[in-house]
Amino acid sequence: MFAVRGEAMPDGAFAIHFRWEPEEMTFSEVLESLGHIPLPPYIHRDDTAQDRERYQTIYAARDGSVAAPTAGLHFTPSVIDGLHRRGCILDYVTLHVGAGTFKPVTEPDVARHIMHREKVGVTAETILNLAENRNRGLVVVGTTAARTLESLYWAGVKIIKDGTDVYPDVGQWDPYHERYDCNIPVDESLSAMLDYLHSRNRAEYRAETQLMILPGYRFRLADGLITNFHMPGSTLLMLVSAFAGDTWKEAYRFALARDFRFLSYGDACLFLK
């Protein structure tokens, strides 16, 4: 037996209360037994057995997201092998995509839009790789990875500015706050994060991010961005606009004129800084 009760929250979200029998089942076991592949709502069909494989990246390793990071769907084992043969260094980060990804910006003043918090994870080994290969050029796959890496930078800034007693979650407006409006180099931020993890004997930075990236934001880590085509009025398109400037309009006009596919099962493009 399974029962659900919903409760509306002030920010437009819902708190969902679950109850099931037998009670000894874990919540993850309940989801596995009753759940479906979480296709985005704009895909107007039921999920199929094929979606269980297709709507997932080949390098996915952890449960937790409500949607796939769809730019990564373009990477097959042969593509990954080809990148390795060309001397590319591949590394991985975690962001548990939340329902807020699909929340359109409806406020006339974007400053009133509320980003949902999402859990991120970056291993110390990955942070060290980022620090040691800063001159190679970093191409980020997806807005998910871009937000994770930028959140990592600001977490390091907060450690430098606030000390190590405060856990470095990243708020929606932290990069725009005068306290953190600074020019701390990326290397210093990453070094502060590594010192923070080492002092606590932790192998991974795990926190929550609410970071909202708007046009005018200056990216600290990414030199290139591979991303699918997004809808107007979305925080994802705002992030792309922040990275690419007005170039995104040219790319989208090109895609529309040639019937490119948008959104999750669609095509991708590459923007270079």
Side-chain angles (χ1 to χ4, degrees), residues 202-221:
R202 294 177 181 169
E204 184 176 20
Y205 163 61
R206 290 188 183 182
E208 292 187 344
T209 182
Q210 199 179 0
L211 176 61
M212 186 169 183
I213 297 178
L214 299 171
Y217 177 90
R218 179 168 64 89
F219 281 78
R220 267 61 177 193
L221 281 140

Side-chain angles (χ1 to χ4, degrees), residues 9-83:
M9 305 298 286
D11 63 354
F14 286 85
I16 307 297
H17 304 271
F18 298 94
R19 181 169 56 85
W20 61 84
E21 294 178 359
E23 294 183 355
E24 58 268 20
M25 289 182 68
T26 66
F27 185 53
S28 61
E29 289 173 336
V30 172
L31 292 179
E32 285 294 329
S33 64
L34 298 177
H36 292 265
I37 300 301
L39 295 182
Y42 46 73
I43 296 181
H44 300 292
R45 63 172 176 81
D46 293 334
D47 60 290
T48 66
Q50 190 178 27
D51 290 309
R52 181 170 291 275
E53 179 178 351
R54 290 189 65 215
Y55 194 63
Q56 185 63 275
T57 62
I58 62 171
Y59 45 80
R62 297 179 178 178
D63 294 334
S65 291
V66 302
T70 52
L73 299 181
H74 303 281
F75 287 78
T76 63
S78 62
V79 171
I80 297 293
D81 289 342
L83 292 172

Side-chain angles (χ1 to χ4, degrees), residues 229 244-258 271:
F229 292 94
D246 286 342
T247 303
W248 77 266
K249 298 178 182 179
E250 180 182 349
Y252 274 54
R253 282 193 291 265
F254 183 93
L256 288 168
R258 290 159 178 80
F271 291 107

Side-chain angles (χ1 to χ4, degrees), residues 48-120:
T48 66
Q50 190 178 27
D51 290 309
R52 181 170 291 275
E53 179 178 351
R54 290 189 65 215
Y55 194 63
Q56 185 63 275
T57 62
I58 62 171
Y59 45 80
R62 297 179 178 178
D63 294 334
S65 291
V66 302
T70 52
L73 299 181
H74 303 281
F75 287 78
T76 63
S78 62
V79 171
I80 297 293
D81 289 342
L83 292 172
H84 282 303
R85 288 196 302 270
R86 287 166 175 79
C88 297
I89 299 173
L90 275 61
D91 219 326
Y92 303 91
V93 296
T94 298
L95 183 142
H96 292 305
V97 181
T101 295
F102 305 110
K103 182 181 179 182
V105 179
T106 57
E107 295 283 354
D109 181 1
V110 70
R112 298 180 62 183
H113 179 81
I114 299 176
M115 290 285 288
H116 290 189
R117 303 180 73 85
E118 296 172 311
K119 294 184 182 298
V120 296

Side-chain angles (χ1 to χ4, degrees), residues 51-266:
D51 290 309
R52 181 170 291 275
E53 179 178 351
R54 290 189 65 215
Y55 194 63
Q56 185 63 275
T57 62
I58 62 171
Y59 45 80
R62 297 179 178 178
D63 294 334
S65 291
V66 302
T70 52
L73 299 181
H74 303 281
F75 287 78
T76 63
S78 62
V79 171
I80 297 293
D81 289 342
L83 292 172
H84 282 303
R85 288 196 302 270
R86 287 166 175 79
C88 297
I89 299 173
L90 275 61
D91 219 326
Y92 303 91
V93 296
T94 298
L95 183 142
H96 292 305
V97 181
T101 295
F102 305 110
K103 182 181 179 182
V105 179
T106 57
E107 295 283 354
D109 181 1
V110 70
R112 298 180 62 183
H113 179 81
I114 299 176
M115 290 285 288
H116 290 189
R117 303 180 73 85
E118 296 172 311
K119 294 184 182 298
V120 296
V122 187
T123 66
E125 182 179 3
T126 295
I127 298 172
L128 183 60
N129 285 341
L130 288 168
E132 292 180 342
N133 293 280
R134 286 289 302 139
N135 296 326
R136 289 177 60 97
L138 177 63
V139 176
V140 179
V141 178
T143 56
T144 295
R147 285 187 67 236
T148 301
L149 291 176
E150 294 301 304
S151 298
L152 175 69
Y153 168 80
W154 289 107
V157 169
K158 294 184 76 169
I159 289 171
I160 293 171
K161 288 285 188 174
D162 297 339
T164 58
D165 292 335
V166 179
Y167 198 75
D169 290 337
V170 177
Q172 179 168 338
W173 303 115
D174 281 351
Y176 312 97
H177 194 284
E178 60 182 9
R179 177 167 179 77
Y180 306 117
D181 183 15
C182 59
N183 291 309
I184 291 177
V186 172
D187 291 346
E188 289 187 23
S189 172
L190 298 179
S191 179
M193 180 55 68
L194 287 171
D195 290 344
Y196 176 90
L197 295 176
H198 179 73
S199 66
R200 285 159 174 74
N201 197 29
R202 294 177 181 169
E204 184 176 20
Y205 163 61
R206 290 188 183 182
E208 292 187 344
T209 182
Q210 199 179 0
L211 176 61
M212 186 169 183
I213 297 178
L214 299 171
Y217 177 90
R218 179 168 64 89
F219 281 78
R220 267 61 177 193
L221 281 140
D223 300 300
L225 173 65
I226 296 174
T227 182
N228 282 24
F229 292 94
H230 307 288
M231 292 297 290
S234 67
T235 57
L236 305 178
L237 188 54
M238 289 182 179
L239 185 153
V240 171
S241 176
F243 185 85
D246 286 342
T247 303
W248 77 266
K249 298 178 182 179
E250 180 182 349
Y252 274 54
R253 282 193 291 265
F254 183 93
L256 288 168
R258 290 159 178 80
D259 292 327
F260 281 25
R261 297 181 67 181
F262 276 48
L263 306 176
S264 289
Y265 275 158

